[in-house]
Amino acid sequence: MVMFGRWLAFVKRYLGGVGAAAVVLVLVSLGSLESIEYWSLERFFEIRGARQPTTPIVIVSIDESSVIELNEQWPFPRAMHAQLIQTLASAKPLAIGVDLIFDVPSRRGAEDDEALGAAVARAGNVVLGSAPQIDRQARYDRVDANLPLPVIRRGAAGVGPVNLDTERDDHVRRAPLRVFVPPRYELAFDAQIHQRLKAVGVAVAPLPDRDEILVNFNGPPRTFPWVSYSQVLKGEVPAEYFHDKVVLIGPTSKLMHDIFPTAFARGDDQMPGVEIHANVVETYVRGNYVREVPVVVSTVLAVVAALLGAALVVRLQAGRAFLTAALLWFVLAVFAYVGFLYFDVWMRGMAGTLALGLGYGVTVVENFVREQREKRRLSQFFSPEVLREVVRHRDDNSLGSTRRLVTVLFSDIRGFTTLSERLEPEQVAEMLREYLTEMTEIVFKHGGTVDKYIGDCVMALYNVPFPDPDHAAKAVRTGLEFQEKTLEVSKRWEEKLGVRIRNGVGINTGEAVVGTLGSRQRLEYTAIGDTINLGARLESITKDYHVGIIISEDTHKLLKGEFMTRELGEVLVKGKSQPVKIFAVLPGSLRKHPRVALEAAATLVMAGGAGTCTVTTRDISEGGVALAGVPDEWKVGTKVEIRCEGGLLPTPLTAEGVVAWRRDDQAGVTFTELPAETAPVVAEYIARQGRREVAAPPPVC
């Protein structure tokens, strides 16, 4: 069962490659790729270029000029062919091949046939052609040998079929070595010439042990020299020109319809059949026929290429995978070409190219679709930056459930139930949507992960899914910004509906099981454990201590004095058997001036003497002071004069300022004017006290 699961996981990861391999297998089995495979073979021939033949072959071409010069209609008299053979034979060529069919008596009478037969016999080295044809009847197939007339062939050195089989695109690429001529297989025309050359002592390669070969074409038409039939007959070509050469006689005119497209000849410039025979003879003599790698081997390699294309995408990014695939294809293409150039070996590579491209392309598309679907699912948890890393490292089990150190943050709106009773459901939904959107952006801003929303509550995790050494501090920064942003949201809703929003934040650090958890029907990225439960309990008691943010001792230890905190003592929270030491994070802790605790009585006077109140100072810096017990009517932006005395201050303090922030009954006043005699007192006090924490009971309004 485990092995089956692994196999299923493999198929799922490499589904694009498996699908591409299946498509290529079907196309290969149907023969649909043969045309592009042959196209690639012809590109190899073109890149290689023409080669100078090594076998001394001359073509006596029967062309339009010969018809005109000899003033004879086609077919020429066989006695004229006899005269040509006699002329050639006098030069003692190695062999004479006649690519013409003499299967029916001459229209000029028996003497015409006898003249040709006598010339063939006297030469002794003439190979004649035949043209076997299959006559398909309703119940059987009949083979017509179409041999030369007995009177003509009886003195020939050999008779062989000149048939050239064409592919589906009408190209000639292969030559038959043996052709069935009832009652047996006969050597084809070109093989007969090869045997003749071997008989006269020419060094030739042995004939291959197969029924047909892929012709290794030397070049385009006229790569082998042509001389005109009429010129030879008139004696315009010296007889010694044909000495110790193979002479092939055949039509080269397009009007005689014996031309075919080949590797070097396409379109209007096609190759006459007689020159194709010259290429075949050259191939036999040199033994350099194109050796095909078996189709099954190239097909298996294509399947491997499809899986490899998929594997590159799985292992690498799409861009790197493309470059790697392109480089791999280039190396294989060069390897295949070198094999063709130096060893006359042809491996079908287009199936592999298609498989590699399909494997890559399909997997890229499949990964893109899966990534988009995964991004939509995970975007509710992670910031865009973290989400990119999660998707990028999706195969590293970054979302798998593991036990790890986390900092958890809980935050909810105080009095949300009462607030919901005062508003219409649509208004509650709109307010909640705005509030949660703002809070989520803050979590993402500080590298946190939104675990879930529980009504008006936001649960966020830090140090997941990737390690972050600053996770505790980032959670506290998030909580502080939550407080600031809640005031902005509250101000808008106070103006619209007259409702006020405040929130509390609880933060705890400890080990928890984190990852994709849930049921078989639904999975979520979340965390479970006592650490999470304690974080929720800390948030719930913020209202009891009249503070905005409460953190646990474990979180406090990781802050290393970066934030201004105040110990609240120990508390026994629900679900814990031992009391937990907790701390409040003071809202002015991220100001640019260092702060120290200060507990003293102070008097606030509104500008112009419009109001006066008595408050308690909590901390002080050279830029301002934090207060507790501030009445609600003292809004943010109110200009005040503050008089503070007592506590550890050596002398009374007087300054002017403005209310910069509010948290319930707590407020921060930023100094706008600090008298010359007061500034040194504040600086000396801060220098003496330093950044230390002061234990104090919750503020009392």
Side-chain angles (χ1 to χ4, degrees):
M1 194 67 180
V2 174
M3 290 299 296
F4 177 76
R6 291 178 179 175
W7 181 84
L8 194 61
F10 171 84
V11 171
K12 186 176 180 180
R13 291 181 68 193
Y14 295 91
L15 188 60
V18 173
V23 169
V24 172
L25 280 174
V26 171
L27 293 176
V28 170
S29 63
L30 295 177
S32 303
L33 300 181
E34 280 299 280
S35 58
I36 61 172
E37 295 288 6
Y38 284 132
W39 176 88
S40 70
L41 175 62
E42 290 172 358
R43 300 293 79 76
F44 279 176
F45 275 114
E46 288 183 355
I47 296 171
R48 186 202 73 186
R51 286 176 172 174
Q52 187 64 31
T54 59
T55 306
I57 300 176
V58 178
I59 296 173
V60 176
S61 64
I62 304 173
D63 51 13
E64 290 92 337
S65 64
S66 296
V67 175
I68 295 171
E69 290 292 330
L70 297 175
N71 196 25
E72 286 283 354
Q73 292 184 343
W74 182 258
F76 292 161
R78 291 176 182 174
M80 184 179 292
H81 294 318
Q83 184 180 351
L84 177 73
I85 290 173
Q86 185 174 340
T87 301
L88 294 172
S90 64
K92 300 189 181 305
L94 296 173
I96 301 173
V98 182
D99 184 18
L100 298 170
I101 307 301
F102 305 112
D103 58 330
V104 295
S106 172
R107 293 178 298 175
R108 293 176 172 81
E111 295 81 2
D112 201 32
D113 294 326
E114 290 174 358
L116 178 57
V120 168
R122 283 195 298 270
N125 60 355
V126 177
V127 177
L128 298 174
S130 64
Q133 298 293 327
I134 299 177
D135 182 14
R136 302 190 182 279
Q137 301 296 322
R139 297 183 180 179
Y140 63 93
D141 293 341
R142 184 182 66 192
V143 178
D144 294 330
N146 293 327
L147 294 169
L149 296 175
V151 68
I152 298 175
R153 71 172 185 265
R154 62 189 175 193
V159 177
V162 295
N163 305 58
L164 293 172
D165 295 330
T166 59
E167 309 285 350
R168 285 188 292 184
D169 58 357
D170 293 329
H171 279 59
V172 173
R173 299 184 179 92
R174 302 175 186 275
L177 191 82
R178 298 173 181 84
V179 179
F180 182 68
V181 181
R184 59 183 179 275
Y185 279 91
E186 299 285 353
L187 283 177
F189 176 75
D190 308 301
Q192 295 274 7
I193 295 177
H194 171 276
Q195 293 297 88
R196 173 63 190 169
L197 295 178
K198 181 180 179 181
V200 297
V202 176
V204 295
L207 288 175
D209 185 19
R210 56 187 62 204
D211 292 332
E212 64 178 10
I213 62 163
L214 262 176
V215 183
N216 198 336
F217 286 94
N218 285 71
R222 295 185 180 272
T223 298
F224 293 88
W226 292 12
V227 293
S228 177
Y229 185 103
S230 60
Q231 289 180 313
V232 177
L233 201 60
K234 291 181 176 182
E236 296 175 0
V237 179
E240 57 271 15
Y241 178 75
F242 302 101
H243 180 67
D244 283 344
K245 292 182 180 178
V246 178
V247 182
L248 300 181
I249 305 169
T252 58
S253 171
K254 296 179 181 179
L255 299 177
M256 298 180 185
H257 305 293
D258 190 30
I259 58 172
F260 305 91
T262 64
F264 288 100
R266 293 181 299 278
D268 293 334
D269 190 24
Q270 297 182 7
M271 184 173 288
V274 66
E275 188 156 13
I276 294 176
H277 288 299
N279 280 276
V280 177
V281 171
E282 167 82 356
T283 300
Y284 285 147
V285 170
R286 297 184 61 175
N288 66 341
Y289 63 93
V290 178
R291 292 156 178 82
E292 299 178 73
V293 173
V295 176
V296 65
V297 174
S298 58
T299 304
V300 169
L301 292 177
V303 170
V304 173
L307 296 176
L308 185 59
L312 290 175
V313 179
V314 171
R315 298 293 181 184
L316 306 173
Q317 293 180 343
R320 292 181 179 178
F322 175 79
L323 294 176
T324 304
L327 178 62
L328 178 64
W329 175 86
F330 178 76
V331 170
L332 292 178
V334 170
F335 179 78
Y337 175 68
V338 169
F340 175 79
L341 180 64
Y342 293 103
F343 304 100
D344 301 311
V345 174
W346 174 53
M347 183 179 70
R348 289 169 171 80
M350 299 307 290
T353 300
L354 178 63
L356 182 64
L358 276 179
Y360 168 84
V362 172
T363 306
V364 165
V365 172
E366 191 269 337
N367 276 10
F368 176 78
V369 172
R370 181 157 55 88
E371 284 180 12
Q372 295 307 308
R373 186 168 58 245
E374 193 75 358
K375 282 181 178 180
R376 284 194 296 270
R377 185 178 72 85
L378 297 176
S379 60
Q380 59 183 313
F381 304 117
F382 306 113
S383 67
E385 294 77 12
V386 174
L387 181 59
R388 280 194 292 270
E389 290 299 309
V390 169
V391 174
R392 180 180 166 191
H393 298 282
R394 61 188 179 276
D395 295 324
D396 299 343
N397 200 29
S398 57
L399 299 185
S401 57
T402 56
R403 186 183 183 93
R404 62 191 302 170
L405 181 70
V406 299
T407 295
V408 61
L409 177 149
F410 281 90
S411 173
D412 73 350
I413 299 174
R414 290 190 181 151
F416 181 72
T417 303
T418 304
L419 191 66
S420 301
E421 292 174 352
R422 295 175 51 191
L423 302 177
E424 295 296 327
E426 293 80 7
Q427 293 174 325
V428 174
E430 183 182 355
M431 182 185 69
L432 199 57
R433 185 182 304 109
E434 179 183 351
Y435 170 79
L436 292 177
T437 299
E438 298 279 6
M439 299 304 108
T440 300
E441 289 180 357
I442 294 171
V443 173
F444 288 167
K445 172 183 174 182
H446 293 286
T449 295
V450 175
D451 183 289
K452 60 173 67 70
Y453 306 111
I454 311 170
D456 62 311
C457 176
V458 178
M459 174 182 169
L461 299 172
Y462 296 81
N463 204 36
V464 295
F466 304 109
D468 183 354
D470 199 30
H471 56 95
K474 287 183 176 179
V476 173
R477 293 189 193 109
T478 302
L480 289 167
E481 195 165 343
F482 269 21
Q483 303 281 294
E484 296 280 355
K485 186 60 69 174
T486 300
L487 290 177
E488 295 180 16
V489 175
S490 178
K491 183 178 179 180
R492 292 196 293 268
W493 282 92
E494 280 187 74
E495 295 173 354
K496 185 184 296 186
L497 298 173
V499 297
R500 190 170 132 186
I501 302 174
R502 295 293 183 269
N503 72 356
V505 176
I507 301 173
N508 184 34
T509 301
E511 288 194 339
V513 176
V514 186
T516 304
L517 303 170
S519 66
R520 292 182 179 178
Q521 291 81 8
R522 181 178 179 182
L523 293 173
E524 287 187 351
Y525 188 80
T526 187
I528 58 175
D530 185 61
T531 296
I532 310 303
N533 299 333
L534 178 56
R537 300 288 184 269
L538 295 182
E539 184 279 322
S540 67
I541 64 174
T542 55
K543 55 182 176 291
D544 300 330
Y545 283 82
H546 303 284
V547 294
I549 304 172
I550 292 181
I551 63 175
S552 68
E553 184 179 14
D554 290 330
T555 302
H556 183 264
K557 290 177 180 177
L558 296 177
L559 299 181
K560 299 177 181 178
E562 181 178 345
F563 302 92
M564 191 66 185
T565 61
R566 176 162 50 85
E567 185 177 336
L568 300 178
E570 293 185 342
V571 62
L572 187 62
V573 297
K574 184 179 179 181
K576 298 287 289 187
S577 59
Q578 298 295 325
V580 177
K581 186 180 289 187
I582 58 175
F583 298 79
V585 178
L586 301 182
S589 57
L590 292 181
R591 310 286 177 167
K592 62 182 179 180
H593 298 292
R595 289 180 175 268
V596 296
L598 171 65
E599 292 198 359
T603 301
L604 282 183
V605 181
M606 282 190 186
T612 303
C613 71
T614 301
V615 296
T616 303
T617 60
R618 288 305 185 205
D619 61 70
I620 190 171
S621 74
E622 293 184 51
V625 62
L627 310 171
V630 181
D632 292 344
E633 58 267 23
W634 296 68
K635 306 293 185 183
V636 173
T638 302
K639 294 181 179 180
V640 299
E641 179 182 301
I642 182 169
R643 301 189 188 97
C644 181
E645 59 183 342
L648 298 178
L649 285 173
T651 60
L653 180 152
T654 302
E656 294 181 1
V658 62
V659 178
W661 55 266
R662 287 292 311 258
R663 300 281 193 285
D664 296 328
D665 70 331
Q666 299 185 50
V669 173
T670 299
F671 296 142
T672 57
E673 185 176 340
L674 199 61
E677 65 275 10
T678 302
V681 175
V682 175
E684 181 183 351
Y685 176 76
I686 293 172
R688 186 172 65 249
Q689 296 299 316
R691 293 174 58 89
R692 68 173 185 166
E693 300 166 358
V694 179
V700 179
C701 296

